[in-house]
Amino acid sequence: KNEVEQSPQNLTAQEGEFITINCSYSVGISALHWLQQHPGGGIVSLFMLSSGKKKHGRLIATINIQEKHSSLHITASHPRDSAVYICAVIGLNNTDKLIFGTGTRLQVFP
Amino acid sequence: NAGVMQNPRHLVRRRGQEARLRCSPMKGHSHVYWYRQLPEEGLKFMVYLQKENIIDESGMPKERFSAEFPKEGPSILRIQQVVRGDSAAYFCASSPSSNYGYTFGSGTRLTVV
């Protein structure tokens, strides 16, 4: 079993819909990251969280440390949001290395 | 600030050749991480370096792979005697300090033919 699990694996949506991507992890962590990867492209760091909630534009990330769960929300989704969204954690007592989920592939149709 | 620069973007090597992948971290960042993304798989940690030191290489294959981050110049990931299974995207990330957040490079896509 992976230490970081994401759901769903694939997600399609119509433009304007509210999107939620979930991440559960089984290890103690010092921080959790949400990353975005476009096809054939680089990786962009969206958020780093250790507690609570962060918002940037139409993106919102939340984390519940007790439940070992995080969610990434996209409000008013747009076709340019189509990408793979990756959850990654830094385990406690780890040397800052990221442990990745397998990603959620999002396609937003106009 | 140009961000994390990786070169080359694409690299083709024949089996048995050497591959050298370069990563210049952001200015002021002294922590460098290398990750590998095999086709249709997730990202996996390879190695974590600070200037002139390897901090954690627990994700590096035992043979043929090495990494360095010299006092001057970029970090280098070196793969000797490449095999088809080394074909992957290799990403570098840098950070100014521990648990601060990362900036990723655009990756080097290695194809072994």
Side-chain angles (χ1 to χ4, degrees):
Chain A
K1 193 178 189 306
N2 290 338
E3 291 168 295
V4 181
E5 297 277 358
Q6 285 185 239
S7 64
Q9 276 192 296
N10 295 284
L11 184 56
T12 58
Q14 288 294 125
E15 183 173 355
E17 285 186 9
F18 181 83
I19 305 289
T20 295
I21 299 170
N22 295 300
C23 175
S24 296
Y25 51 91
S26 57
V27 296
I29 68 167
S30 58
L32 181 144
H33 293 252
W34 281 102
L35 310 169
Q36 180 193 56
Q37 185 176 27
H38 285 280
I43 297 168
V44 175
S45 180
L46 299 175
F47 295 104
M48 184 175 94
L49 293 161
S50 53
S51 65
K53 176 179 173 178
K54 285 190 176 178
K55 185 175 189 293
H56 186 255
R58 295 180 295 106
L59 301 177
I60 303 165
T62 64
I63 188 168
N64 185 319
I65 296 293
Q66 286 73 32
E67 295 188 2
K68 292 189 165 67
H69 181 269
S70 175
S71 293
L72 177 69
H73 306 286
I74 306 174
T75 61
S77 59
H78 191 277
R80 65 175 173 265
D81 297 326
S82 299
V84 176
Y85 292 84
I86 303 167
C87 172
V89 302
I90 298 175
L92 291 172
N93 304 318
N94 264 350
T95 54
D96 287 356
K97 63 188 180 192
L98 289 169
I99 305 167
F100 297 88
T102 51
T104 294
R105 188 176 301 273
L106 171 66
Q107 285 188 292
V108 182
F109 293 100
Chain B
N1 195 335
V4 177
M5 303 300 293
Q6 286 191 251
N7 64 78
R9 286 294 303 273
H10 300 274
L11 181 61
V12 179
R13 283 287 177 266
R14 295 187 187 280
R15 279 179 293 170
Q17 291 185 318
E18 179 179 285
R20 281 187 181 235
L21 287 62
R22 292 174 185 76
C23 169
S24 296
M26 284 188 71
K27 189 175 180 182
H29 287 197
S30 58
H31 298 229
V32 166
Y33 310 81
W34 285 93
Y35 296 95
R36 178 165 69 171
Q37 188 173 39
L38 291 166
E40 304 304 319
E41 291 190 24
L43 286 149
K44 294 281 194 290
F45 168 79
M46 298 184 76
V47 62
Y48 163 33
L49 310 107
Q50 295 179 22
K51 284 284 187 183
E52 299 185 279
N53 285 305
I54 297 174
I55 307 301
D56 182 349
E57 57 181 346
S58 58
M60 289 278 269
K62 293 286 184 277
E63 297 176 350
R64 302 187 296 109
F65 285 71
S66 62
E68 62 176 6
F69 188 16
K71 190 176 179 182
E72 302 289 339
S75 176
I76 306 285
L77 179 68
R78 184 180 175 211
I79 311 172
Q80 294 178 290
Q81 298 176 313
V82 295
V83 301
R84 289 238 170 93
D86 297 331
S87 296
Y90 292 82
F91 289 95
C92 168
S94 73
S95 176
S97 63
S98 296
N99 213 11
Y100 190 84
Y102 303 86
T103 303
F104 281 84
S106 298
T108 293
R109 275 134 188 101
L110 172 66
T111 302
V112 179
V113 297

